[in-house]
């Protein structure tokens, strides 16, 4: 097989052990490279999407709105406004004469029809070019309707997904601080960066409640506008996932003094660590309050109970999967760390790991926790992914919908670990689901028929 | 009644997609071709994701990955760099370039860039061919993008010359299984034909040992060149634009007779297609299809009682809606709403043509609507069935009626590309599905649970 990387991308790939660590990242995707990455708009849409009682209006031509219509698995325990796809559906005349009037009328119409708690208006590529003043229109409609209408500056071409996260955080930050915080416990937290895929946040919330900690707002999963308004009253921000909501946590720390902890809910190790970190945080903050110690005790009991339950159930999968090879390519690199550990837990070997948006620091850490020979890759494309998968003889590939057909064409198992998935993979229960899913793909008899295995 | 109704300003749950997506799909049906979007990175990624969910096949769409700077100073340099990178990495026979809302609005002149690129690269070896289409996503739908791309491919690549015995077939956007069937039918009539596009293999391929950078299959470029020398063109699409289409452009430029038909869904529309093929080939209908037709009529009779008088909503791409309406009318199901996000202005007329005197009244016909509009009307009419793509599922669920999945996209089932809609065999499958959906619903709703019909 020929050299895999595009010429200008060679420095975005690193093989552990072959050379001193050196990887270039956070670059714009190369033109013509068929990057797996999305855009600013996508980044902001992902983060804000699960706020279920807000109206999410995409200001632009129809495409952007349709392609993001209900593609995420983020569940709501109540309203489901987020699952509808609203668009101003800009037409040629709007592009020529400006879309502000249409936007205003669309907002008025939709607010009347759905009475949302707030509205987010996303700008798309074209809106940035025609120069509609989103801010002005939103302010005006806020005045007219009394409903917070918040612009999201997410023109697609203004950077990559990360810039979209920032735009979303800016938008959310406008809500924070506008609600009443009376009565919130000092042992309380906000959940950031979990999108409640397949109800994961309900599990996580339950852990916190068992620990004796109040959850003020699940900002990005099963989210509610009113909760977010008072999120600044919480004692701690717990941020899961690498990029998406860290900025928001930082902004809250600066403005309201709410500290934050970065965690991962994937795999036993990281999940337990997250809970202990939180308990420890409160112990350190309130060293003289016996309640803080009680929280720690309850946390220990919880983790022990969950692990005791889980480990024997994993045994079957471990036996079957030991020595099999895995490759990981996900959006955020933080998730990649957990996945590396989770595969170790079932005795599997990770031979390739990469992400769309990792930072140098992230890749450094990945290189530290992986085995020699592991390929570490930033912003990959189908041709590169394909050549690494075949070269390494992978048994399962973890990625998102765009990665799936690459694996399947080659006759390789696949596990969907993206926003689109419909299986809960977080938490202790999620680890079991993960093992089960990997098992059911790797062990399926269908692989015996694929060309890869027929030749032998 | 054929206008958008009610007259909402915004769109909720659209029943259409944007133009560049249609163009990418059309390009994907040409041998050795990589679709390329001149725009920002996001669009290409979104469309790939959307298409993958239907076909479960790799689809690489390259992009100029324009950033803010390019948006201000023009995307020419990025376009050229992107084309070079694709050419080097994929070694395609052709790159099909579609614009997006971004590049259309900043006014990038793609034909001029391509001329410059040709000048810059003169004498280089291994360069692919290029074809470009303008697809501003703020007008029309993915279907205009699809037909626009086909039109441009023909306009830019078809060549004249001494007439040959070949027939051009422009089926529009149907499933991979449909394209396969069409090829088989043409061959069965002994017709030497060129079908454009051909997504039968490129988007429904086999399991592989070695990954193909560009999926094999698709209409060969040489055959497209030769389209200008064919003796006739068959073009499906009763709602196609009057002035611009692949078939018409071949007619104007090379005086090739263009026969425009509806997509052959159901007996009558299929009969029309087969009659034309008989005329063009000078042969009667092959026995295989005569038998298929016979079996289909027999099935229509066997199942007619479960269907008569039932009310259906049909939604999706305009020409597919026309075909489905024709089919439903002939099996006795009454189409109460025919709806599309498209706005050709020809939907009502086309439906009247195909239903003729089979219907006791006229269905409500809506162009340029979204699912919110459709739901509003539907709820008052008490439909029994929804026929359309997966995006109709929330509505079907709300109304507690079965959804028969046809067309694109099918995101909540496997095998969207293998749904057969066309010909007698396609009608047979649709018929069994529709009839059984009613029977199953009756069974599910019944307290008794009879196991005989
Ligand atoms: S930016 Fe324009 S071309 Fe791209 S997906 Fe959105 S509407 Fe379609």
């Amino acid at each position: 097989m020929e050299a895999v990387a595009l010429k200008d991308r060679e420095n975005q790939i690193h093989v552990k052990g072959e050379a001193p660590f050196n990887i270039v990242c956070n670059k714009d995707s190369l033109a013509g490279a068929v990057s797996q990455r999305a855009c600013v708009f996508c980044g902001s849409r992902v983060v804000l999407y699960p706020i279920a009682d807000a109206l999410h209006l995409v200001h632009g031509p129809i495409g952007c709105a349709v392609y993001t219509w209900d593609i995420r698995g983020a569940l709501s325990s109540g309203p489901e406004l987020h699952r509808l796809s609203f668009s101003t559906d800009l037409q040629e005349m709007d592009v020529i004469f400006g879309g502000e009037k249409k936007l205003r009328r669309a907002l008025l119409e939709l607010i009347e029809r759905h009475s949302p708690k707030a509205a987010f208006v996303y700008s798309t590529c074209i809106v940035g070019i025609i120069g509609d003043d989103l801010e002005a229109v939103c302010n005006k409609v806020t005045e007219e309707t009394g409903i917070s209408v918040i612009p999201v500056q997410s023109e697609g071409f203004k950077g990559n997904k990360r810039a979209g996260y920032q735009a979303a955080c800016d938008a959310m930050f406008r809500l924070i601080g506008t609600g009443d915080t009376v009565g919130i416990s000092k042992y309380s937290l906000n959940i950031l960066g979990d999108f409640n895929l397949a109800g994961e946040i309900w599990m996580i919330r339950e852990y916190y409640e068992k620990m004796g900690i109040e959850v003020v707002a699940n900002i990005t999963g099963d989210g509610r506008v009113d909760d977010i308004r008072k999120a600044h009253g919480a004692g701690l921000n717990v941020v899961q996932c690498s990029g998406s909501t860290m900025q928001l946590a930082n902004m809250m720390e600066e403005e309201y003094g709410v500290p934050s902890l970065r965690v991962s809910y994937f795999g036993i190790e990281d999940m337990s660590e997250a809970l202990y970190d939180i308990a420890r945080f409160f112990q350190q903050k309130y060293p003289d309050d016996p309640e803080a110690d009680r929280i720690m005790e309850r946390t220990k009991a919880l983790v022990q109970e969950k692990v005791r339950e889980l480990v024997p159930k994993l045994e079957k999968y471990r036996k079957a999967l030991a020595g099999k090879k895995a490759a990981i390519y996900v959006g955020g690199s933080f998730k990649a760390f957990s996945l590396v550990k989770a595969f170790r837990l079932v005795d599997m070997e990770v031979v390739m790991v990469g992400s769309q948006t990792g930072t140098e620091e992230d890749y450094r850490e990945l290189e530290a926790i992986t085995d020699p020979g592991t390929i570490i890759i930033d912003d990959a494309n189908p041709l590169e992914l394909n050549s690494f998968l075949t070269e390494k003889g992978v048994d399962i590939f973890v990625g998102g919908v765009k990665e799936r057909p690459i694996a399947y064409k080659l006759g390789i198992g696949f596990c969907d670990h993206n926003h689109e998935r419909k299986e809960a993979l977080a938490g202790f229960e999620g680890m079991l689901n993960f093992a089960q899913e990997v098992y059911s793909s790797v062990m399926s008899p269908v692989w015996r028929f694929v060309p890869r295995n027929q030749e032998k | 009644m054929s206008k958008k109704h009610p007259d909402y300003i915004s769109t909720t749950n659209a029943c259409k997609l944007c133009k560049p997506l249609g163009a990418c799909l059309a390009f994907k049906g040409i041998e050795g071709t990589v679709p390329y979007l001149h725009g920002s990175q996001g669009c290409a990624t979104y469309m790939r994701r959307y298409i993958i969910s239907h076909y479960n096949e790799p689809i690489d769409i390259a992009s100029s990955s324009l950033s803010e700077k390019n948006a201000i100073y023009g995307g020419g340099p990025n376009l050229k760099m992107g084309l070079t990178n694709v050419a080097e990495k994929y070694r395609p026979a052709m790159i099909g370039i579609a614009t997006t809302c971004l590049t259309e609005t900043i006014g990038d002149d793609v034909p001029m860039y391509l001329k410059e690129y040709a000048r810059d690269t003169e004498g280089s070896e291994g360069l692919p061919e290029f074809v470009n289409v303008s697809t501003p996503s703020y007008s029309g739908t993915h279907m205009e993008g699809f037909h626009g791309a086909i039109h441009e491919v023909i306009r830019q690549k078809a060549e004249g010359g001494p007439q040959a015995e070949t027939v051009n077939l422009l089926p529009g956007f149907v499933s991979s299984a449909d394209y396969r069937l069409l090829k088989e039918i043409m061959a069965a009539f002994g017709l030497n034909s060129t079908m454009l596009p051909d997504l039968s293999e490129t988007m429904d391929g086999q399991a592989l040992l070695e990954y193909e950078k560009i999926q094999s299959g698709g209409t060969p470029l040489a055959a497209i060149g030769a389209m200008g020398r064919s003796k006739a063109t068959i073009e499906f699409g009763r709602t196609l634009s009057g002035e611009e289409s692949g078939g018409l452009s071949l007619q104007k430029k090379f005086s090739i007779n263009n026969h425009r038909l509806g997509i052959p869904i159901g007996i009558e529309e299929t009969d029309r297609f087969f009659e034309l093929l008989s005329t063009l080939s000078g042969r009667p209908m092959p026995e295989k299809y005569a038998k298929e037709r016979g079996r289909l009529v027999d099935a229509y009779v066997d199942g007619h009682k479960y269907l008569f008088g039932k009310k259906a909503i049909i939604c999706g791409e305009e020409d597919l809606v026309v075909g489905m309406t024709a089919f439903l009318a002939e099996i006795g199901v009454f189409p109460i709403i025919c709806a599309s996000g498209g706005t050709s202005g020809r939907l009502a007329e086309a439906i009247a043509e195909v239903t003729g005197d089979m219907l006791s009244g006229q269905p409500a016909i809506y162009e340029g609507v979204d699912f919110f509009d459709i739901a509003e009307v539907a709820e008052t009419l008490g439909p029994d069935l929804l026929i359309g793509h997966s995006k109709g599922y929330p509505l079907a669920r709300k109304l507690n009626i079965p959804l028969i999945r046809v067309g694109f996209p099918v995101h909540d089932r496997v095998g969207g590309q293998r749904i057969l809609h066309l010909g007698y065999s396609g009608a047979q499958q649709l018929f069994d599905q529709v009839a059984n959906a009613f029977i199953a619903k009756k069974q599910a709703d019944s307290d008794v649970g009879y196991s005989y019909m």
Side-chain angles (χ1 to χ4, degrees):
Chain A
M1 181 160 276
E2 64 180 294
V4 283
L6 286 169
K7 235 194 268 112
D8 294 340
R9 284 194 26 81
E10 275 152 9
N11 50 12
Q12 284 174 270
I13 301 166
H14 170 73
V15 180
K16 173 157 175 177
E18 276 193 2
F21 179 82
N22 176 26
I23 201 164
V24 175
C25 50
N26 219 351
K27 269 190 17 177
D28 283 339
S29 296
L30 187 64
V34 193
S35 163
Q36 304 291 82
R37 270 185 190 163
C39 60
V40 184
F41 164 70
C42 170
S44 62
R45 191 85 175 86
V46 178
V47 176
L48 293 172
Y49 170 82
I51 303 178
D53 55 355
L55 183 90
H56 300 269
L57 174 62
V58 180
H59 186 34
I62 200 63
C64 310
V66 188
Y67 305 135
T68 52
W69 172 13
D70 204 26
I71 60 173
R72 317 250 162 224
L75 301 186
S76 164
S77 52
E80 296 209 318
L81 207 44
H82 68 304
R83 299 188 61 188
L84 303 180
S85 164
F86 301 111
S87 166
T88 47
D89 195 357
L90 287 182
Q91 298 296 309
E92 193 146 15
M93 284 300 138
D94 306 314
V95 172
I96 297 168
F97 297 111
E100 291 178 18
K101 268 201 204 105
K102 187 174 195 185
L103 173 59
R104 181 177 157 267
R105 289 174 58 213
L107 275 168
L108 293 176
E109 167 186 284
L110 291 171
I111 288 172
E112 205 206 305
R113 195 187 293 162
H114 299 285
S115 324
K117 288 278 183 184
F120 293 102
V121 180
Y122 302 76
S123 60
T124 52
C125 287
I126 197 171
V127 171
I129 300 292
I130 62 177
D132 279 0
D133 189 346
L134 237 57
E135 188 78 48
V137 177
C138 290
N139 285 342
K140 199 155 167 226
V141 178
T142 301
E143 256 168 53
E144 285 172 347
T145 60
I147 282 171
S148 300
V149 180
I150 300 167
V152 186
Q153 301 297 348
S154 52
E155 292 86 348
F157 56 82
K158 284 201 167 153
N160 60 31
K161 219 166 158 184
R162 282 181 166 271
Y165 297 154
Q166 181 69 53
C169 291
D170 289 343
M172 247 179 314
F173 195 60
R174 293 189 178 207
L175 283 176
I176 290 168
T178 58
D180 190 358
T181 59
V182 176
I184 295 178
S185 158
K186 65 179 180 181
Y187 297 106
S188 61
L189 54 79
N190 299 313
I191 304 175
L192 279 74
D194 185 288
F195 299 97
N196 199 32
L197 305 176
E200 288 174 341
I201 223 166
W202 298 329
M203 277 163 14
I204 307 289
R205 269 188 85 117
E206 203 189 297
Y207 302 159
Y208 293 144
E209 276 152 23
K210 282 201 174 132
M211 288 159 64
I213 294 173
E214 177 185 343
V215 179
V216 180
N218 334 318
I219 296 199
T220 50
D222 196 10
R224 297 291 179 277
V225 171
D226 286 342
D227 293 345
I228 296 170
R229 287 186 189 280
K230 56 181 191 190
H232 58 298
L236 177 67
N237 276 329
V238 181
V239 189
Q240 127 94 19
C241 178
S242 53
S244 59
T245 47
M246 204 58 224
Q247 287 104 318
L248 182 68
N250 292 341
M251 286 152 88
M252 284 173 75
E253 175 143 27
E254 222 168 85
E255 181 88 16
Y256 302 104
V258 185
S260 62
L261 265 181
R262 219 175 146 182
V263 301
S264 164
Y265 299 137
F266 296 110
I268 299 188
E269 225 176 297
D270 285 356
M271 184 67 238
S272 314
E273 203 45 43
L275 301 182
Y276 283 133
D277 278 352
I278 293 163
R280 228 174 282 132
F281 166 85
F282 285 113
Q283 264 184 329
Q284 276 159 14
K285 187 160 180 196
Y286 306 110
D288 304 325
D289 188 345
E291 175 60 14
D293 297 330
R294 280 199 288 273
I295 288 180
M296 181 51 101
E297 270 151 40
R298 286 193 288 260
T299 306
K300 277 186 191 150
L302 174 72
V303 171
Q304 272 164 16
E305 181 203 315
K306 292 284 179 190
V307 174
R308 215 179 303 130
E309 239 172 67
L310 183 57
V311 169
K313 288 186 192 157
L314 282 176
E315 207 39 46
K316 160 182 164 196
Y317 303 120
R318 209 158 135 178
K319 269 203 199 112
L321 296 172
K324 304 265 186 210
K325 290 183 193 157
I328 301 167
Y329 188 75
V330 286
S333 50
F334 216 59
K335 190 157 67 191
F337 304 146
S338 301
L339 283 168
V340 171
K341 294 183 217 165
F343 275 123
R344 263 201 200 126
L345 197 68
V346 287
D347 292 343
M348 288 177 71
E349 198 188 321
V350 174
V351 292
M352 184 204 98
V353 55
S355 87
Q356 290 170 24
T357 55
T359 62
E360 195 187 322
E361 215 188 334
D362 296 336
Y363 291 121
R364 223 174 255 290
E365 201 174 327
L366 271 180
E367 120 121 343
I369 62 168
T370 46
D371 299 325
T374 305
I375 293 163
I376 298 169
I377 184 165
D378 175 57
D379 187 19
N381 52 64
L383 296 186
E384 290 169 1
L385 290 174
N386 143 64
S387 77
F388 290 136
L389 292 179
T390 7
E391 185 193 313
K392 290 284 184 182
V394 165
D395 296 293
I396 193 151
F397 184 30
V398 183
V401 176
K402 290 189 299 295
E403 282 75 48
R404 187 175 60 206
I406 302 173
Y408 284 173
K409 262 296 120 156
L410 294 168
I412 293 172
F414 186 78
C415 169
D416 186 357
H417 210 306
N418 215 329
H419 293 287
E420 290 95 347
R421 67 192 157 84
K422 306 286 182 282
E423 296 298 328
L425 300 180
F428 300 103
E429 294 84 344
M431 177 64 213
L432 191 62
N433 290 345
F434 176 70
Q436 155 79 45
E437 193 178 332
V438 170
Y439 174 82
S440 61
S441 191
V442 170
M443 304 308 288
S444 168
V446 301
W447 307 123
R448 72 176 66 203
F449 303 106
V450 303
R452 191 164 68 103
N453 297 323
Q454 298 241 303
E455 302 281 293
K456 285 174 197 165
Chain B
M1 208 185 339
S2 72
K3 265 200 38 219
K4 180 173 160 75
H5 164 96
D7 211 7
Y8 292 133
I9 293 127
S10 58
T11 298
T12 304
N13 302 343
C15 189
K16 61 176 175 180
L17 304 157
C18 74
K19 259 188 181 172
L21 177 130
C24 289
L25 279 167
F27 287 142
K28 195 64 203 167
I30 299 173
E31 191 175 68
T33 299
V34 173
Y36 184 108
L37 283 185
H38 185 39
S40 55
Q41 179 60 52
C43 314
T45 308
Y46 272 146
M47 292 177 207
R48 287 176 59 210
R49 192 227 162 270
Y50 201 88
I51 294 170
I52 287 170
S53 291
H54 174 87
Y55 289 96
N56 233 316
E57 290 285 319
I59 171 156
D60 289 7
I61 300 176
S63 158
S64 295
S65 297
L66 295 184
S67 66
E68 182 145 34
K69 202 172 71 218
N70 311 125
I72 297 166
Y73 297 111
N78 265 53
L79 173 65
K80 293 173 194 167
M81 182 175 43
L83 294 178
T84 302
N85 280 333
V86 174
E88 265 184 18
K89 203 61 205 171
Y90 285 82
R91 297 268 167 233
M94 187 165 90
I95 301 180
I97 305 152
T99 54
T100 60
C101 54
L102 174 64
T103 47
E104 284 289 334
T105 313
I106 61 177
D108 266 6
D109 187 345
V110 173
M112 186 191 77
Y113 291 149
L114 286 178
K115 260 187 222 134
E116 287 173 7
Y117 188 74
R119 222 180 302 132
D120 298 348
T121 54
E122 222 191 293
S124 335
E125 267 171 49
L127 272 186
E129 298 200 30
F130 300 103
V131 68
N132 69 290
V133 57
S134 154
T135 44
S137 33
Y138 43 73
S139 67
T141 70
H142 62 298
M143 284 318 294
E144 267 105 12
F146 186 94
H147 291 302
I150 294 302
H151 178 230
E152 284 300 330
V153 170
I154 288 175
R155 204 180 61 79
Q156 295 170 36
K157 299 293 171 200
E159 294 153 6
Q163 207 187 62
E165 272 302 296
T166 53
V167 172
N168 303 318
L169 177 60
L170 308 175
F173 183 32
V174 290
S175 76
S176 297
D178 292 329
Y179 288 114
R180 279 195 289 272
L181 177 76
L182 288 171
K183 275 203 280 197
E184 191 196 294
I185 292 174
M186 298 304 276
F189 273 95
L191 286 164
N192 196 339
S193 64
T194 298
M195 179 171 74
L196 178 70
D198 176 3
L199 292 146
S200 62
E201 285 174 55
T202 54
M203 291 310 284
D204 194 14
Q206 312 177 43
L208 299 170
L209 182 60
E210 296 264 349
Y211 190 81
E212 296 175 316
K213 293 179 182 181
I214 303 175
Q215 287 66 40
S216 52
T219 317
L221 283 185
I224 297 176
M227 283 177 96
R229 301 190 285 274
S230 292
K231 64 173 183 183
T233 304
I234 307 171
E235 182 172 59
F236 293 159
R238 287 179 179 271
T239 71
L240 272 181
S241 139
E243 312 88 57
E244 276 197 358
S245 76
L248 288 179
S249 121
L250 286 166
Q251 182 165 317
K252 253 181 260 164
K253 211 161 148 192
F254 306 107
S255 312
I256 301 172
N257 264 342
N258 187 39
H259 304 272
R260 202 175 265 180
L261 296 176
I263 300 185
I265 301 176
I267 292 182
E268 295 217 323
E269 287 285 77
T270 303
D271 283 349
R272 291 184 183 109
F273 177 48
F274 275 94
E275 272 157 32
L276 177 60
L277 294 181
S278 280
T279 316
L280 290 176
S281 65
R283 295 189 189 183
M285 187 191 300
E287 197 187 309
K288 175 181 176 192
Y289 299 104
K291 281 189 174 164
E292 269 180 13
R293 189 183 188 283
R295 272 195 297 271
L296 178 59
V297 174
D298 191 52
Y300 273 17
V301 172
D302 291 342
H304 72 280
K305 278 196 187 170
Y306 306 102
L307 303 160
F308 186 75
K310 290 277 197 280
K311 294 178 282 184
I313 303 174
I314 307 145
C315 49
E317 289 132 14
E318 287 165 284
D319 280 314
L320 187 78
V321 167
V322 174
M324 284 297 159
T325 306
F327 162 70
L328 287 182
E330 69 188 23
I331 62 172
V333 172
F334 190 79
I336 46 169
I337 299 174
C338 303
S340 177
T343 50
S344 70
R346 286 177 286 273
L347 187 60
E349 197 187 317
I351 285 177
E353 272 166 27
V354 295
T355 51
D357 58 0
M358 276 185 293
L359 296 179
S360 51
Q362 272 302 298
I365 296 162
Y366 302 115
E367 282 189 2
V369 286
D370 57 33
F371 278 103
F372 190 88
D373 307 336
I374 299 172
E376 276 215 328
V377 204
E379 267 157 76
T380 61
L381 296 177
D384 302 295
L385 179 73
L386 181 65
I387 295 210
H389 50 78
S390 287
K391 299 300 164 192
Y393 174 67
L395 176 61
R397 185 180 155 103
K398 192 163 151 201
L399 298 170
N400 189 24
I401 55 175
L403 166 66
I404 303 288
R405 288 166 181 79
V406 294
F408 175 87
V410 174
H411 283 165
D412 57 345
R413 289 291 184 274
V414 292
Q417 73 273 46
R418 289 184 289 276
I419 298 173
L420 190 63
H421 310 79
L422 306 193
Y424 304 121
S425 48
Q428 182 69 70
Q429 293 191 9
L430 289 173
F431 180 80
D432 291 346
Q433 260 196 73
V434 172
N436 286 331
F438 287 129
I439 295 168
K441 173 103 170 79
K442 202 169 165 189
Q443 246 172 347
D445 292 350
S446 145
D447 308 328
V448 183
Y450 292 110
S451 49
Y452 276 99
M453 295 188 303

